[in-house]
Amino acid sequence: MAKLLGSGTVLILFLTGQLGTVAAMVAVTVTGILTVASENAQTTIVPGLTRDTRGIAQVIATMASVDRAAGIIFPGVTGALIALWGGAPALALSTAFFALAVAAMLPLVRKGPGRVRPARAPSAAGNPAGAAKVLALGAGHGFAVLLRNRVLLGITLLTAAGNIGLAIGSSIQPILILRTLGLGMGFYGILGTVAAAAALTATFVAPAMVRRVSLRRLFGWGAVLQAVVAALSLAAYLWPGAAVVLLLAFEVCWAATLTVTNIAGAAFTANAVSATSLGRTSAAQRTITMGSVPLAAVGGGLLADALGLGVPLLVWPLLTLGAAALFFVLTAHRASVPAAV
């Protein structure tokens, strides 16, 4: 409902010519916060719907796959709408989708939680100091779970390394492609399309891979593969004559491996963490994996500005390879999936 209110407000401001930079930034920030909160909530609620542990992991993997697919398809649709008819139809479509979401949820809200059993937390009603203590304990609980579960910690660090590497690369790849290699805007657009197609394909195969491939092989060797793939951008920088082929291979392989490992990570977390800890643990994971991205993007730009494009392009695969090595060390004595904590 908050998203619907925000989207409707942005649409009205846009149509009346009052949508300025500050209002747009506020809208994007609030929408981002609400999106993370709702994604965390939908992960938390799944264990209350089934007692089958494998079923929980599969549902989480499927939800992550659908979310990932929607996140790939609809930005492209939005871009096409804006290019053809301007911003108003895109904002109107956004508002309409939020309205549909509210309409779908209202009957469930009226019926109550049903079989869903929300996690119990200490009560501190009417006691501000107690409420602050409960909040602090809740915020730290997820990190404590990560530290106790070495496999989960390794997966989180691997995901963070992949996101950091991608942030570093994303901050300098446009310069590499457009200015250093001079491949043009058309090729840059082709790369984006190829990456989206590869990621979309990976979203449909990821749930099956979660079921069939062992945890250590999927994440550990997947990270080693990511390090090799990340080195393709450095190779394109060093050998401009082969840059087109190298960059196309990079986009396909990186999008596919990152998509599969992110979906598998969400599924494993649901399988390894108890229902009462799942929401806080997922939030702690997001703090690490997503919170590091802005700093990495700035760091990548600073490195490129001070030392040249080759340095951040080298840091990227080395970081991913280091994270893979750390994962193998952390999981050396954890061949099987640990029980819920």
Side-chain angles (χ1 to χ4, degrees):
M1 292 179 73
K3 290 178 184 177
L4 174 60
L5 177 62
S7 180
T9 302
V10 170
L11 177 60
I12 293 172
L13 291 174
F14 181 82
L15 292 175
T16 57
Q18 302 299 315
L19 183 61
T21 303
V22 174
M25 291 177 68
V26 169
V28 170
T29 302
V30 172
T31 301
I33 293 171
L34 292 172
T35 299
V36 172
S38 60
E39 288 177 355
N40 213 47
Q42 75 181 22
T43 299
T44 305
I45 206 172
V46 173
L49 302 175
T50 177
R51 295 181 179 178
D52 178 13
T53 304
R54 292 184 60 85
I56 292 172
Q58 190 58 35
V59 170
I60 294 292
T62 304
M63 287 199 313
S65 177
V66 172
D67 284 346
R68 191 85 175 174
I72 294 166
I73 295 171
F74 282 96
V77 173
T78 302
L81 282 175
I82 293 173
L84 292 173
W85 297 302
L91 288 171
L93 184 63
S94 170
T95 305
F97 272 113
F98 284 135
L100 287 174
V102 170
M105 284 302 301
L106 281 179
L108 300 178
V109 173
R110 292 195 183 108
K111 287 180 181 179
R115 289 182 57 200
V116 178
R117 297 177 299 279
R120 293 182 179 179
S123 175
N127 184 356
K133 183 177 180 180
V134 168
L135 181 62
L137 289 173
H141 177 77
F143 291 99
V145 171
L146 289 179
L147 292 174
R148 290 200 304 268
N149 190 318
R150 297 176 67 182
V151 176
L152 196 58
L153 178 61
I155 291 173
T156 303
L157 294 177
L158 270 183
T159 305
N163 289 347
I164 289 170
L166 184 60
I168 292 173
S170 296
S171 66
I172 59 176
Q173 267 199 328
I175 299 172
L176 171 66
I177 295 167
L178 300 175
R179 181 179 297 177
T180 305
L181 299 175
L183 296 176
M185 288 294 295
F187 180 73
Y188 188 72
I190 290 171
L191 285 179
T193 303
V194 168
L200 185 59
T201 303
T203 61
F204 297 111
V205 303
M209 292 188 67
V210 171
R211 292 195 303 269
R212 297 176 184 177
V213 182
S214 68
L215 173 77
R216 205 160 184 262
R217 182 178 301 173
L218 181 64
F219 287 100
W221 293 110
V224 173
L225 177 60
Q226 280 186 342
V228 174
V229 172
L232 293 176
S233 290
L234 177 62
Y237 174 70
L238 296 175
W239 294 289
V244 171
V245 175
L246 290 170
L247 288 173
L248 285 171
F250 162 78
E251 292 294 348
V252 171
C253 297
W254 183 268
T257 54
L258 190 66
T259 298
V260 170
T261 52
N262 281 350
I263 291 173
F268 175 78
T269 302
N271 201 16
V273 179
S274 66
T276 55
S277 298
L278 183 56
R280 287 168 289 177
T281 305
S282 297
Q285 285 183 304
R286 286 176 181 275
T287 301
I288 296 171
T289 58
M290 297 174 66
S292 55
V293 169
L295 297 176
V298 173
L302 290 174
L303 280 176
D305 192 48
L307 303 174
L309 289 181
V311 174
L313 289 175
L314 178 61
V315 169
W316 185 355
L318 290 179
L319 176 69
T320 308
L321 193 61
L326 179 61
F327 177 79
F328 281 122
V329 171
L330 289 172
T331 60
H333 304 292
R334 301 294 293 273
S336 60
V337 176
V341 293

